């Protein structure tokens, strides 16, 4: 256990004791030793000073910040990316390798006539070609849009069509299975580049390796400006049809600053972000932030497997680990004994994002891995971390933490219909502690999305009364820690109470038999809605009626009868997005026999791809 986290505990705002920090015992001094001082002294302009900018003051380009500047400053030989293959073996790319490969990719795009602002899509696993394609696209001034390789043909078609994809980089197998069937309906898709064509591309596709071999390794870097579009990211589709969020090169300023404060990246770190670059986390924090900081980033080419993950943490000497609640809950479900035998002396910081992080998981981290898990909150739209728990700040388990330096967050009051309340053009803010409101951010941070592609009106509706409205509900305690309540659409109204599913799910997870839970409201003529829980059990527990009653009783004791679930079903697989979020809207529509809506990001119905392999 890291001695820095053993310190005295003080009472937090939840019934979980706060976890205090002893900075003097940290193996490395944190980048932000004093949160309040850092906030006071921070400006985004100052943060920009840490970046190089294009030589000759020509502008700002993410690829230059991530790769070329390290080469220019003599760090080209440093290991940038370390890929862990299926057999546990590794292959690495240095910063100089990345400069060369992305240079070739940019020159190749130019040769194909792909210009500034045109969209380059990927449908790839986490292979080296993906990383060169991302950086090469930025370099060429084109726009990158990553797709998750597990998408089926329809989600692929839908996104390529919406995003006006000009180029697609993929593999032979993925092309045959997912692109060929829909190719005819994508007239704008001019070039399909296969990474593994081996000299024999499919009809109407190109051999990427061959093109790259012929391309200039010093492909020019476009003089993009901070406000030029760089990335298109589709949201997770948790609440409905995924939206295409537009991001610009200036986002790199936020990736740098948040990598520094919220992930505490130091140049010698071995950093592992487990998210797939098909999602915004895997791009912002799996590629851009670590490379801009010049660290060595681990990329696991395989899917989640408890033993494998513990092995990677140990064998690769990972120092900073960024993961997700769904993955942590799977590790918890696999049992603490799986972690035993894997010493993790190098690990000094763990963070998580994507869904509410149950306090149970924060404390599990401390007890099993030797470090508490630091929750942080953000969205595809925000482009970077907005609220976080920092290394040198006490953790209140269950809280998302406090806003990053440079980020102003507030809670906007909502009326009975859930609409934000405005007065004389200004949003009415919730001021008292522990009162719920819609989480809002003051616009103007560099990684803020600049639009939903082709949905101008929807974009405009996100802003009101001087704030960007996130659609999430939260509370803030007297010390400025934010507490997630639920997505606006997920909050349950029962007998006059507003109930956030997160609180109920977290309580259920404290029951020793419960691995994971999803909570929804179902209509009831008397109460308006009743709280219903869907519960996945830990291995070795039988779904009996007695256990059902016991869990309901357990929740009642902790939450009170008004908030505890009245109904409880056992399930073996909660529906989740491919990025691992519980799809409560699907639990609800299935429960009520309603149409399922957009399921393009639903994990395969046969069960999650991120299954834990059982021990033989
Ligand atoms: P869609 O917008 O398509 O419905 P999505 O909102 O799940 O999908 P993302 O942008 O990937 O798409 O996810 C952002 C959302 O995830 C946040 O608005 C919030 O609801 C949830 N989230 C992320 N991090 C946290 C966290 N630490 N605690 C609670 N919720 C979180
Ligand atoms: Mg969203």
């Amino acid at each position: 256990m890291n001695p820095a986290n053993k310190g005295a505990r003080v009472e937090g705002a939840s019934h979980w004791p706060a976890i205090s920090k002893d900075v003097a015992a940290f193996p490395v001094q944190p980048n932000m030793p004093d949160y309040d001082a850092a906030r006071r002294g921070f400006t985004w302009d100052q943060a920009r000073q840490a970046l190089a900018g294009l030589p000759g003051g020509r502008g700002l380009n993410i690829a230059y910040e991530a790769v070329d500047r390290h080469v220019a400053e003599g760090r080209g030989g440093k290991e940038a990316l370390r890929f862990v293959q299926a057999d546990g073996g590794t292959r690495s790319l240095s910063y100089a390798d990345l400069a060369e490969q992305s240079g070739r990719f940019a020159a190749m795009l130019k040769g194909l006539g792909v210009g500034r602002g045109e969209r380059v899509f990927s449908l790839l696993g986490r292979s080296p070609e993906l990383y060169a394609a991302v950086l090469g696209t930025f370099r060429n001034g084109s726009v990158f849009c990553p797709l998750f390789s597990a998408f089926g043909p329809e989600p692929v078609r839908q996104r390529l069509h919406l995003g006006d994809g000009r180029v697609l980089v993929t593999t032979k197998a993925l092309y045959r299975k997912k692109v060929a069937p829909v190719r005819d309906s994508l007239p704008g898709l001019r070039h399909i580049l296969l990474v593994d064509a081996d000299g024999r591309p499919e009809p109407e596709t190109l051999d990427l390796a061959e093109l790259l071999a012929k391309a200039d390794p010093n492909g020019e870097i476009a003089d993009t400006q901070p406000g030029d579009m760089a990335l298109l990211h589709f949201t997770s589709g948790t609440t409905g049809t995924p939206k295409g969020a537009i991001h610009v090169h200036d986002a790199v300023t936020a990736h740098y600053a948040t990598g520094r404060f919220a992930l505490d990246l130091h140049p010698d770190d071995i950093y592992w972000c487990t998210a797939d670059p098909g999602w915004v986390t895997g791009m912002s924090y799996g590629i851009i932030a670590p490379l801009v900081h010049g660290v060595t980033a681990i990329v696991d080419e395989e899917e989640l497997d408890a033993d494998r993950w513990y092995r990677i943490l140990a064998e690769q000497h990972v120092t900073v680990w960024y993961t997700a609640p769904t993955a942590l809950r799977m590790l918890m479900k696999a049992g603490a004994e799986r972690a035993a035998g894997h010493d993790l002396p190098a690990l000094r910081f763990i963070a998580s994002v994507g869904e509410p992080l149950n306090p149970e998981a924060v404390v599990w981290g401390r007890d099993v891995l030797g470090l508490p898990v630091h929750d942080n909150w953000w969205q595809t739209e925000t482009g970077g971390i907005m609220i976080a728990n920092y290394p040198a700040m006490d953790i209140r388990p269950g809280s998302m933490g406090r806003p990053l330096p440079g980020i102003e967050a507030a809670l906007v009051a909502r009326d009975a219909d859930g609409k934000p309340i405005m007065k004389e053009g200004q949003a009415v803010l919730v001021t008292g502690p522990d009162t719920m409101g819609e989480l809002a951010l003051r616009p103007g941070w560099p990684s803020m999305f600049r639009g939903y592609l082709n949905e101008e009106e929807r974009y405009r509706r996100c802003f009101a009364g001087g704030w960007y409205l996130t659609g999430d509900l939260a509370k803030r305690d007297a010390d400025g820690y934010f507490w997630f309540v639920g997505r606006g659409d997920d909050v349950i109204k029962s007998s006059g109470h507003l109930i956030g599913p997160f609180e109920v799910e977290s309580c259920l997870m404290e029951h020793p038999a419960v691995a994971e839970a999803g909570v929804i409201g179902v209509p009831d003529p008397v109460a308006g809605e009743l709280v219903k829980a869907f519960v996945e059990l830990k291995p070795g527990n039988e779904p009996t009626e007695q256990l059902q009653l016991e869990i309901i009783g357990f929740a009642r004791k902790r939450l009170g009868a008004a908030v505890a679930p009245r109904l409880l079903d056992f399930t073996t697989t909660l529906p989740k997005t491919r990025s691992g979020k519980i799809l409560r809207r699907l639990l609800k529509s299935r429960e009520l026999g309603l149409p399922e809506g957009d399921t393009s990001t639903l994990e395969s119905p046969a069960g999650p791809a991120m299954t834990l392999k059982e021990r033989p």
Side-chain angles (χ1 to χ4, degrees):
M1 179 180 289
N2 184 332
N5 291 291
K6 262 191 191 162
R9 297 179 186 182
V10 293
E11 215 38 47
S14 68
H15 73 275
W16 292 83
I19 297 173
S20 65
K21 306 291 187 65
D22 177 4
V23 178
F26 281 12
V28 174
Q29 277 310 290
N31 290 326
M32 184 165 65
D34 180 339
Y35 170 77
D36 293 305
R39 255 187 97 75
R40 273 195 305 276
F42 183 90
T43 66
W44 286 111
D45 274 341
Q46 202 184 38
R48 281 189 191 93
Q49 301 300 314
L51 302 175
L54 286 171
R58 291 185 299 127
L60 183 72
N61 186 294
I62 299 175
Y64 188 84
E65 302 302 328
V67 174
D68 299 73
R69 70 174 296 195
H70 299 302
V71 179
E73 291 168 12
R75 296 186 293 277
K78 182 162 179 191
E79 185 182 19
L81 297 171
R82 186 186 302 164
F83 296 86
V84 185
Q85 295 162 296
D87 62 1
T90 60
R91 49 181 171 168
S92 295
L93 291 176
S94 68
Y95 281 90
D97 293 335
L98 275 179
E100 188 207 312
Q101 293 188 10
S102 61
R104 284 186 192 275
F105 197 91
M108 183 267 316
L109 284 180
K110 202 169 182 182
L112 291 175
V114 179
R116 297 269 281 253
E118 291 199 286
R119 320 277 155 70
V120 177
F121 278 63
S122 66
L123 183 68
L124 286 172
R126 291 178 292 277
S127 64
E129 293 85 357
L130 170 63
Y131 295 77
V134 169
L135 295 160
T137 299
F138 294 151
R139 238 187 139 87
N140 191 49
S142 307
V143 172
F144 200 82
C145 181
L147 297 180
F148 188 45
S149 61
F151 280 151
E154 182 47 28
V156 168
R157 189 204 61 77
Q158 191 189 26
R159 286 164 180 76
L160 277 165
H161 172 72
L162 280 172
D164 193 18
R166 200 62 76 236
V167 179
L168 174 70
V169 188
T170 187
T171 65
K172 240 182 197 176
L174 289 170
Y175 172 75
R176 278 191 203 140
K177 215 161 127 193
K178 305 183 177 188
V179 187
V182 296
R183 170 118 202 224
D184 287 348
S185 61
L186 295 166
L189 182 59
R190 281 209 299 266
H191 310 287
I192 295 181
L193 312 174
L194 301 185
V195 299
D196 55 355
D198 264 340
R200 292 189 307 281
E202 300 281 303
E204 295 182 63
T205 68
L206 296 167
D207 181 338
L208 178 65
E210 192 187 308
L211 292 176
L212 290 179
K214 287 192 289 204
D216 178 1
N218 301 309
E220 222 183 307
I221 193 150
D223 55 354
T224 46
Q225 299 306 303
D228 287 351
M229 184 172 171
L231 279 161
L232 176 65
H233 271 300
F234 286 95
T235 59
S236 294
T238 312
T239 47
T241 311
K243 298 149 276 188
I246 294 170
H247 288 285
V248 299
H249 280 272
D250 200 20
V252 68
T253 309
H255 297 146
Y256 175 80
T258 53
R260 183 170 163 74
F261 296 136
L263 299 176
D264 198 40
L265 293 176
H266 287 63
D268 290 337
D269 275 322
I270 308 282
Y271 163 82
W272 183 22
C273 168
T274 59
D276 188 275
W279 308 111
V280 71
T281 308
M283 176 65 70
S284 300
Y285 296 102
I287 304 180
I288 302 174
L291 294 181
V292 172
H293 278 272
V295 307
T296 297
I298 300 291
V299 179
D300 183 15
E301 296 186 14
E302 293 295 298
E303 299 304 324
L304 169 56
D305 167 81
D307 295 322
R308 179 178 172 86
W309 275 29
Y310 287 130
R311 243 190 346 261
I312 291 177
L313 286 170
E315 288 173 6
Q316 304 303 327
H317 309 287
V318 172
T319 56
V320 177
W321 190 36
Y322 195 23
T323 188
T326 185
L328 292 165
R329 289 194 295 259
M330 281 190 173
L331 295 180
M332 288 163 75
K333 189 166 150 190
E337 55 298 345
R338 299 282 270 271
H342 296 284
D343 261 353
L344 308 173
L347 194 61
R348 65 176 177 81
F349 189 70
I350 307 177
S352 153
V353 72
E355 268 203 303
L357 181 67
N358 317 85
E360 178 102 7
V362 176
V363 172
W364 173 88
R366 186 195 58 194
D367 296 344
V368 175
L369 304 176
L371 293 165
V373 183
H374 296 74
D375 187 20
N376 53 69
W377 177 96
W378 57 290
Q379 306 177 304
T380 308
E381 290 86 342
T382 71
I385 303 170
M386 298 283 110
I387 297 179
N389 287 281
Y390 309 96
M393 191 176 86
D394 290 356
I395 297 182
R396 298 183 175 178
S399 161
M400 309 188 282
R402 297 164 80 188
L404 264 288
I407 299 300
E408 192 187 344
L411 299 170
V412 172
R414 310 215 316 172
D415 65 18
D417 297 328
K419 294 221 168 55
I421 303 176
M422 298 290 146
K423 205 170 160 192
E424 291 164 8
Q426 292 303 304
V428 174
L429 301 184
V430 169
T431 46
D434 305 324
T435 314
M436 189 173 74
E438 179 166 357
L439 182 58
L441 304 165
R442 186 73 82 187
W445 69 95
S447 62
M448 191 181 90
F449 71 136
R450 304 305 157 97
Y452 285 132
L453 196 71
N454 308 330
E455 293 188 276
E456 184 57 31
E457 177 51 29
R458 194 174 192 176
Y459 178 66
R460 238 181 287 123
R461 278 203 311 268
C462 296
F463 298 87
W467 296 88
Y468 162 63
L469 299 163
T470 67
D472 285 347
L473 299 178
K475 295 180 185 177
R476 181 175 42 198
D477 66 24
D479 299 311
Y481 282 70
F482 282 81
W483 299 75
F484 185 78
V485 173
R487 291 166 181 271
D489 302 344
D490 288 341
V491 171
I492 303 159
K493 290 185 198 128
S494 185
S495 306
H497 296 276
L498 275 182
I499 300 164
F502 173 49
E503 184 185 10
V504 184
E505 289 162 9
S506 291
C507 168
L508 291 169
M509 278 190 62
E510 288 175 33
H511 187 282
V514 176
E516 207 164 2
V519 166
I520 59 166
V522 293
D524 178 77
V526 180
E529 280 185 303
L530 288 180
V531 179
K532 173 153 192 181
F534 294 84
V535 163
E536 245 181 81
L537 293 173
K538 283 186 184 152
N541 293 282
E542 288 304 314
T544 61
E545 197 174 328
Q546 192 194 343
L547 184 58
Q548 191 183 32
L549 293 175
E550 187 191 309
I551 297 172
I552 292 179
F554 172 88
R556 256 193 205 176
K557 225 183 268 164
R558 305 211 169 194
L559 298 170
V563 178
R566 292 278 283 278
L567 308 162
L568 188 147
D569 275 1
F570 293 117
T571 169
T572 46
T573 41
L574 286 167
K576 286 186 181 168
T577 64
R578 292 191 182 277
S579 52
K581 297 164 191 257
I582 297 173
L583 273 162
R584 292 178 194 82
R585 72 171 158 92
L586 207 59
L587 280 174
K588 194 157 177 167
S589 49
R590 285 179 180 171
E591 175 71 17
L592 305 180
L594 298 171
E596 297 201 341
D598 186 292
T599 51
S600 62
T601 63
L602 177 66
E603 192 55 86
S604 87
M610 296 203 310
T611 46
L612 290 165
K613 287 183 195 142
E614 291 307 318
R615 262 197 179 159

